[in-house]
Amino acid sequence: MKVMIVDDQFVSRKFFEMYIDDSDRYEVSCVVESAAFADAYVLADKIDLVIMDILMNDGSNGLDAAARIKKNCPQIKIIGVTSMPEYSWLDKARSIGIDSFWYKEDPELSFLDVMDRTMAGESVYPAGTPQVMLGMVGSGELTERELEILRIITTGASNSAIAETLGIAESTVKNHIHNILEKTGFSSRTELAIEARTSGIVVNF
């Protein structure tokens, strides 16, 4: 079965190539470093499986690329892969139709096993997003609304802009931000935004 690897990290690409080379069931058809034109590559060759990294340094992302591939070639299997603990990506991947999802640091699930199960028609997803610390709390201790607000804070938006985006009162935004700062222990929203971006809890494409 022919596999296309889409990943902008050299080490990750070599990792996937090693797994595939060790198997007699798969062969690497092509390796690309950007998701921007991944859908064009699958049309140029008969690809059975795409290993799709989600976040690329050039600004492209695997979710958009996977959506284009599934629209044009729904028979192609796709495994989304990432090392980022962005809380929304699992749901987005499912809604797009990405067949399976794997975290690169997952010690419990063999990637080759994920490939085999995916090609056999199974959808393999982790139970949840990896938990990381944000200040004094784990990411799982923040509510979905708090995470939504945290995502917008990282863009530098004002409270009024956040309120307009989410369709809630500005006073509600202020209360949520106060609660997030209390939970995490950060002294300012700037410090909070920097740490949230660094941790990968929220990622803006």
Side-chain angles (χ1 to χ4, degrees):
M1 289 175 280
K2 291 187 175 182
V3 181
M4 179 172 75
I5 300 170
V6 185
D7 199 307
D8 62 346
Q9 298 294 322
F10 175 81
V11 173
S12 293
R13 293 196 302 271
K14 290 302 178 183
F15 169 84
F16 294 129
E17 287 182 57
M18 177 189 69
Y19 262 88
I20 293 168
D21 288 342
D22 285 344
S23 170
D24 58 3
R25 295 183 296 279
Y26 306 99
E27 65 173 292
V28 177
S29 177
C30 62
V31 179
V32 295
E33 300 179 22
S34 171
F37 304 107
D39 52 316
Y41 280 93
V42 300
L43 296 175
D45 197 358
K46 187 182 182 301
I47 302 295
D48 299 297
L49 172 66
V50 177
I51 300 171
M52 180 72 74
D53 191 25
I54 303 300
L55 184 63
M56 309 283 172
N57 287 328
D58 66 354
S60 63
N61 74 81
L63 294 175
D64 289 346
R68 294 193 299 270
I69 292 171
K70 281 296 185 180
K71 179 180 179 181
N72 297 322
C73 306
Q75 77 282 1
I76 294 177
K77 302 291 187 181
I78 302 177
I79 301 175
V81 298
T82 188
S83 59
M84 306 293 285
E86 200 338 308
Y87 79 96
S88 69
W89 285 351
L90 289 179
D91 287 341
K92 288 180 180 178
R94 285 190 177 96
S95 68
I96 288 168
I98 290 177
D99 300 273
S100 297
F101 203 98
W102 185 76
Y103 287 105
K104 294 179 181 179
E105 284 78 19
D106 189 343
E108 298 180 358
L109 197 57
S110 160
F111 185 69
L112 189 57
D113 184 48
V114 174
M115 292 175 64
D116 289 341
R117 291 165 64 186
T118 300
M119 295 311 297
E122 187 177 348
S123 182
V124 185
Y125 271 75
T129 304
Q131 298 300 297
V132 296
M133 294 300 295
L134 182 63
M136 299 188 304
V137 299
S139 53
E141 298 178 61
L142 298 174
T143 67
E144 187 167 344
R145 177 63 86 185
E146 288 171 342
L147 288 166
E148 287 177 331
I149 290 174
L150 185 58
R151 180 195 305 286
I152 305 174
I153 287 175
T154 63
T155 69
S158 64
N159 287 350
S160 60
I162 296 172
E164 182 176 353
T165 299
L166 297 178
I168 58 179
E170 187 173 346
S171 59
T172 303
V173 173
K174 290 180 180 178
N175 288 336
H176 279 304
I177 293 175
H178 174 76
N179 290 338
I180 297 170
L181 290 172
E182 285 284 307
K183 286 181 178 181
T184 60
F186 293 122
S187 58
S188 70
R189 63 189 290 155
T190 300
E191 185 181 12
L192 174 64
I194 291 172
E195 291 299 322
R197 281 198 300 266
T198 302
S199 69
I201 291 174
V202 290
V203 178
N204 290 295
F205 289 135

